Amino acid sequence: MDVAILQPLDDLYDAMIYSKDHPLGAAARKRIERQHPEDPWPEKIDAFLTRDITSAKPWEKVTAVQ
């Protein structure tokens, strides 16, 4: 297996599809855990990245991006 998705991506897709003012978009943005939660959300989310934690060695400081 090349990938293991451990949590559903529904909130991420809802945040991308619906605007920040739409009830579904606003609720999804509140539920997403972010690396830098103090940074403001962009007006429109066009892309996202995931970290390849499952294939990184525990001592690596930098993980791959998929």
Side-chain angles (χ1 to χ4, degrees):
M1 179 166 60
D2 184 50
V3 67
I5 298 178
L6 304 176
Q7 296 179 359
L9 297 174
D10 297 350
D11 288 333
L12 180 58
Y13 289 125
D14 283 350
M16 293 177 76
I17 293 168
Y18 298 104
S19 72
K20 66 181 179 106
D21 300 321
H22 190 281
L24 291 176
R29 289 172 185 231
K30 288 180 182 176
R31 289 189 296 265
I32 295 174
E33 293 182 37
R34 300 189 307 148
Q35 184 174 1
H36 300 285
E38 69 280 359
D39 292 347
W41 281 93
E43 290 292 317
K44 182 179 178 192
I45 302 169
D46 292 320
F48 66 91
L49 63 90
T50 59
R51 301 262 181 218
D52 191 5
I53 302 296
T54 57
S55 65
K57 295 175 180 66
W59 56 85
E60 292 178 330
K61 290 184 180 179
V62 178
T63 57
V65 175
Q66 292 186 343

